[in-house]
Amino acid sequence: VQLQASGGGLVQAGGSLRLSCAVSGRTFSSDVLGWFRQAPGKEREFVSSIAWSGGRIYYADSVKGRFTISRANAENTVYLQMNSLKPEDTAVYYCAANRPPYSLSIMSPSGYDYWGQGTLVTVSS
């Protein structure tokens, strides 16, 4: 399976962006798609997750109420709608897939075997 993230860019604080993650290859309803981000000098951190079935929706505390994850199964695409962006949201955002055999660690990068190339989000103050 291959993942292609897109939609990043430069936005002012308080603005919005929508990231997309297009997934190619065979998928299963229990697959979990996750968004992670990595800021310069920091470790990669969990942002949000969703299963193709629509379950397993989780958010990091830092983005709750501002970010919304969704999926379009017919298009094999997962979205991350980011509103009320803050400068501290600046990072490279990655999408990743948790596939069989499924890991229980869906909030950890170690739980994902397949990664997209990342898309840069820059929020100016």
Side-chain angles (χ1 to χ4, degrees), residues 52-74:
W52 287 120
S53 64
R56 310 301 295 278
I57 293 179
Y58 303 106
Y59 296 96
D61 288 343
S62 59
V63 307
K64 279 181 182 176
R66 301 188 297 122
F67 291 11
T68 303
I69 194 168
S70 62
R71 89 279 188 225
N73 291 46

Side-chain angles (χ1 to χ4, degrees), residues 34-95:
W35 284 100
F36 290 79
R37 65 187 182 186
Q38 188 165 18
K42 295 188 177 181
E43 294 186 352
R44 193 168 296 189
E45 64 175 4
F46 172 80
V47 175
S48 184
S49 68
I50 189 169
W52 287 120
S53 64
R56 310 301 295 278
I57 293 179
Y58 303 106
Y59 296 96
D61 288 343
S62 59
V63 307
K64 279 181 182 176
R66 301 188 297 122
F67 291 11
T68 303
I69 194 168
S70 62
R71 89 279 188 225
N73 291 46
E75 300 167 4
N76 271 17
T77 302
V78 174
Y79 301 100
L80 185 68
Q81 178 67 43
M82 306 186 297
N83 298 329
S84 302
L85 283 162
K86 305 175 181 180
E88 50 264 44
D89 293 318
T90 294
V92 177
Y93 283 71
Y94 299 90
C95 60

Side-chain angles (χ1 to χ4, degrees), residues 10-46:
L10 174 64
V11 63
Q12 289 187 333
S16 299
L17 282 174
R18 188 177 79 158
L19 304 184
S20 300
C21 178
V23 181
S24 61
R26 186 177 181 183
T27 60
F28 302 92
S29 61
S30 297
D31 292 354
V32 176
L33 281 299
W35 284 100
F36 290 79
R37 65 187 182 186
Q38 188 165 18
K42 295 188 177 181
E43 294 186 352
R44 193 168 296 189
E45 64 175 4
F46 172 80

